[in-house]
Each structure stands twice: as structure tokens, then as C-alpha cells.
Amino acid sequence: MSLIVQKYGGSSVADAVSIKRVAKRIVETRKAGNEVVVVVSAMGDMTDELVDLATEVAPLPSGRELDMLLTAGERISMALLAMAIKAMGFEARSYTGSQAGMATDARHGSARIVEVNPTRIREAIDAGAIAIVAGFQGFNRGTGDITTLGRGGSDTTAVALAAALGAEVCEIYTDVDGVFTADPRIVPTARKLERVTSEEMLELAAAGAKVLYIRAVEYARRHGVIIHVRSSFNNNEGTLVVNPQEGETVEEAMIAGIAVDLGEAKITVVGVPDVPGKAAEIFTIVATTEANIDMIVQNVSAADTGLTDISFTLPMADGARVMQTLLNEKERVGFESLQYDDQIAKLALVGAGMRTSSGISAKLFTALYEAGVNIEMISTSEIRISVVTRADTVEDAVRAVHTAFELDGDDVAVVHAGSGR
Ligand code: ADP
Ligand code: ASP
Ligand code: MG
């Protein structure tokens, strides 16, 4: 018997009909002779709706209470799914994150898993039941408080359980047929990848391809879990995220895909004295906010003023906090002013083959120029090139770059459900 972990995203369990459809699929996997552990997300856009509700009653809701609220979403789906399976004559038991043994650190809203003790899940499957686990949640071992793993965190729950239970595969069921060369909602001609290396998937996830959550990919790579991203709306094979071993060669496409991130903002510190130590001062201040800053650009200083500008990108959600923290230190650092811009988008081209090919940046910049898209910032890693553009030009930019790198497929990619929120 093999043990399979299946994760169903919010778009796959959006209503009663979908829950019954998913229940049927789980039962079929069980009937085929597998042990099945299921991780489930909140129905449809429920998490977003709960966040909206929280900010209506309090402008800055307490982290502890927000986590308590949000974990309710996954509890609703897990119980409904267990009921639907039982109604089909199969034994199913649902468990919260804490009951499933997901111990985390204390960080509300972005807790990290520190240990997984799935004793009750083991007992359930040993007794022949299908175990259903609420995704995205755990408990702080110190205080016993409920925590959440960050948006998209159900993917991480699934991978962590797959690792702890020694599952054969971790199947991530969603509303598209797998990982594509670009978001099929933006590029209908995007092509499904049969395989993608975890290294490439990490870069794509980090750059905003939310089909898989970055921490899940990291966790899978560290623990050797095989991820299969596929659609819950058909039986097509999806995309395997593979972890090539040292020395193993995999055929590397030049470009794996393009990711877009519309969730970032840009802060420019204007009029910074161009003397040693200022960048250190500024980023030491920013570091106290624990915001995840990404691209950094420092302009050449104008010789007559001895002043320069420093810009960096960060998640929009951290924008107000970082602006305020910097503003508090304006006199001490001695900069002139701050500018905040949240109408930016980040486009990233990712591919392991970039390491060995040249001319990729030239081709990328030419495609953007021909599409009339202005580049505001550039950063590169070994297997990625990212650029910042205006948000309202990024969709045209992705399509142009997709075509320039000959990534277009013959079929139109199907998005089966979901609001894309
Ligand atoms: P779920 O509800 O299953 O968690 P998500 O909305 O989190 O689903 O992720 C699936 C969505 O990810 C797709 O509907 C698609 O719009 C988006 N997406 C972004 N980039 C990609 C990509 N490269 N390949 C496939 N889907 C992508
Ligand atoms: N429901 C949570 C979210 O929307 C977790 C998840 O779906 O993975 O972020
Ligand atoms: Mg998701």
C-alpha cells in the first residue's frame, strides 16, 4: 500500500458541489488501494473575506486573534469534506493543525513549522480511515496559541505531512493543469511543464507564481518530497517538481517560465548624503521592521550636490510600516525625503539554462522595448532576471516576453475555476 498526501486548494472546494466532487476523487484514490491523507484549504476566497471582515472591526487586528479567525476557514472545509466522504460510505476523520501535530514558532501570520508529530493521523490511517487535515495552521509549542503559516500555507502543511509520514508523493490539486510557463490567466498560450526542478520552482514561487508557495517548495527540497501539481477538475498528469541529486543530469530548458508579482511597492530615499555608511544606516533601520526587501538600486550621485537616491522594493503590506520607521530617523540619517510607489510590478524570467546561455538579458530588454514597456529596476541571479515595470503595462510585457522566448504552446490553457484573487 502506498501513502499519498493530497492537498486541495480553495478553488477546488469552493462550494458544496465541489466538495462532493473532491470527496469522490479521494474515495477513488482510497479504493485503488492507497492510504490517503488530505490537506484542505478554506473554501473559495473565504480567507480574504475573513481578512476584510477583521479590518472592518479593527484597523490593525491583533495577530493572535487574526490567526484564530483565519484558521476557522480551513476547519469548515475539513469537516464538510469528512462528512461528504462518510456519506459515500467511507471512514473519514478531520483534524485541526494542532491535532495533526503541526508545531510552529510564535510568529503569528507567518509561523514556521518546527516539528510535525502526526500520531493521530497515523492512528487514523492505520485504522483504515481517510485523514483530513486543516491546512495553513499549527500551534505555538511554547504558548499553545493557534498560528498560521502565511498566505498559501496549506501547500506547506501538505508537504510537511508528506515528509513526516514518508508519503510516496504530495499531490497539490488546483484549478489549472499544473505549472505553466506563465500564469494562464495572463498568457492563455502558456505551456504546461511536465517537470520543473525545485531550484527553478523556488525562483518562480519567490517571484510571484502563486501556484505553489515558496516555503512548501523549500520544505520539499530539504526533505526530498516529490510534489505533483495537477488539476482537481480532470485526470490529466500535471507537473512534477523534481529534486535532481548531486551528479544527476537533467535536461535543462533555457527558460522554465515567467512570473509576475503585483504585490510589491517601491520606496525611494531621496537626497541621501553620498558618504560611506549611509546605505548601512538605512538598511539597518529597515531591518528592524523585519520587512522582506528585494531589489535595491542606488543612483550615481550628482557631483555638485554630493547626494544620491536609493530605491528598494518590498511587499506592499509592509510599506506603511517601513515608511514610518524611516521617517522617524530622517534627521539622524540626513536624507531629504521619501517616495512611495505601489503602482509597480515585478516580472521575472527563470531558467536553469540561463547559467550557460548568453544574450538572455539583451533578448528580454529588446522584447520589453518593442512592447513599449519601460524598465525601472533590474536585478539578476544565476538563474533569474527580474525587472520592475509600471503595473498597468506588466500583462503586455509578460505576453511579449513569452512570445520572444518562444514559450507559446499550441493549445489554450484552461483555468477551471477560482477568482484569481
Ligand atoms: P488554490 O486555490 O488551488 O490554492 P491558487 O490560486 O493559490 O490556487 O493557485 C493557482 C493559480 O496560480 C492559478 O489559477 C493561476 O492563475 C496562478 N498561477 C500563477 N502563475 C502560474 C504558473 N506559472 N502556472 C500555473 N498557475 C499559475
Ligand atoms: N486559506 C489560506 C489562504 O488563502 C491558505 C491556503 O489556501 O493555502 O492563504
Ligand atoms: Mg494556493
Side-chain angles (χ1 to χ4, degrees), residues 7 9 152 155 210-211:
K7 177 255 171 177
D155 295 347
K210 67 170 180 164
V211 61

Side-chain angles (χ1 to χ4, degrees), residues 186-187 258-263 343-348 368 371-374 387-402:
I186 302 177
V187 185
I258 307 168
V260 172
D261 194 344
L262 284 163
Q343 296 302 306
I344 62 159
K346 207 170 61 183
L347 179 157
L368 291 171
V373 174
N374 188 41
V387 295
V388 166
T389 70
R390 286 291 93 202
D392 58 4
T393 60
V394 77
E395 297 205 351
D396 289 337
V398 182
R399 287 187 282 260
V401 174
H402 199 264

Side-chain angles (χ1 to χ4, degrees), residues 86-307:
K86 275 171 173 279
M88 296 173 69
F90 284 76
E91 182 56 22
R93 298 179 196 164
S94 66
Y95 299 91
T96 65
S98 331
Q99 290 174 324
M102 308 292 299
T104 73
D105 63 14
R107 232 171 306 173
H108 284 294
S110 59
R112 281 187 180 269
I113 296 170
V114 293
E115 199 185 328
V116 185
N117 264 316
T119 319
R120 296 193 66 186
I121 307 303
R122 258 270 153 243
E123 282 168 9
I125 48 184
D126 287 348
I130 295 164
I132 317 280
V133 179
F136 167 66
Q137 52 185 272
F139 71 102
N140 170 358
R141 230 182 354 193
T143 60
D145 280 341
I146 299 298
T147 53
T148 61
L149 308 179
R151 299 306 305 270
S154 296
D155 295 347
T156 318
T157 306
V159 170
L161 272 176
L165 296 166
E168 180 171 316
V169 60
C170 179
E171 297 181 328
I172 305 282
Y173 284 94
T174 184
D175 56 4
V176 289
D177 285 359
V179 180
F180 283 72
T181 48
D183 186 341
R185 281 178 210 272
I186 302 177
V187 185
T189 51
R191 208 159 22 83
K192 185 178 80 189
L193 303 170
E194 270 167 35
R195 293 155 66 95
V196 62
T197 63
S198 51
E199 187 191 26
E200 289 169 323
M201 195 61 234
L202 267 181
E203 292 275 3
L204 285 170
K210 67 170 180 164
V211 61
L212 266 184
Y213 181 54
I214 181 165
R215 283 200 193 159
V217 185
E218 276 168 358
Y219 204 105
R221 176 150 84 161
R222 232 178 307 124
H223 293 84
V225 174
I226 297 171
I227 297 181
H228 184 184
V229 183
R230 56 194 307 192
S231 165
S232 70
F233 295 81
N234 58 40
N235 287 312
N236 297 348
E237 285 291 305
T239 303
L240 282 180
V241 184
V242 294
N243 232 329
Q245 301 300 310
E246 194 91 35
E248 186 186 341
T249 48
V250 281
E251 197 192 326
E252 289 179 336
M254 186 171 72
I255 304 298
I258 307 168
V260 172
D261 194 344
L262 284 163
E264 298 253 307
K266 178 172 80 172
I267 291 179
T268 303
V269 190
V270 181
V272 181
D274 196 5
V275 295
K278 285 297 162 189
E281 261 180 61
I282 288 170
F283 288 103
T284 303
I285 295 164
V286 173
T288 62
T289 66
E290 289 187 21
N292 243 329
I293 60 160
D294 183 21
M295 292 177 161
I296 302 175
V297 169
Q298 174 172 343
N299 290 342
V300 180
S301 75
D304 48 345
T305 61
L307 297 177

Side-chain angles (χ1 to χ4, degrees), residues 45 204 230 302 313 324 344 369 420:
D45 291 332
L204 285 170
R230 56 194 307 192
T313 60
Q324 191 53 55
I344 62 159
Y369 162 68

Side-chain angles (χ1 to χ4, degrees), residues 7 9-10 41-42 44 46-48 70 74 135-136 150-155:
K7 177 255 171 177
S41 289
M46 185 178 284
T47 308
D48 290 296
L70 297 188
E74 268 68 12
F136 167 66
R151 299 306 305 270
S154 296
D155 295 347

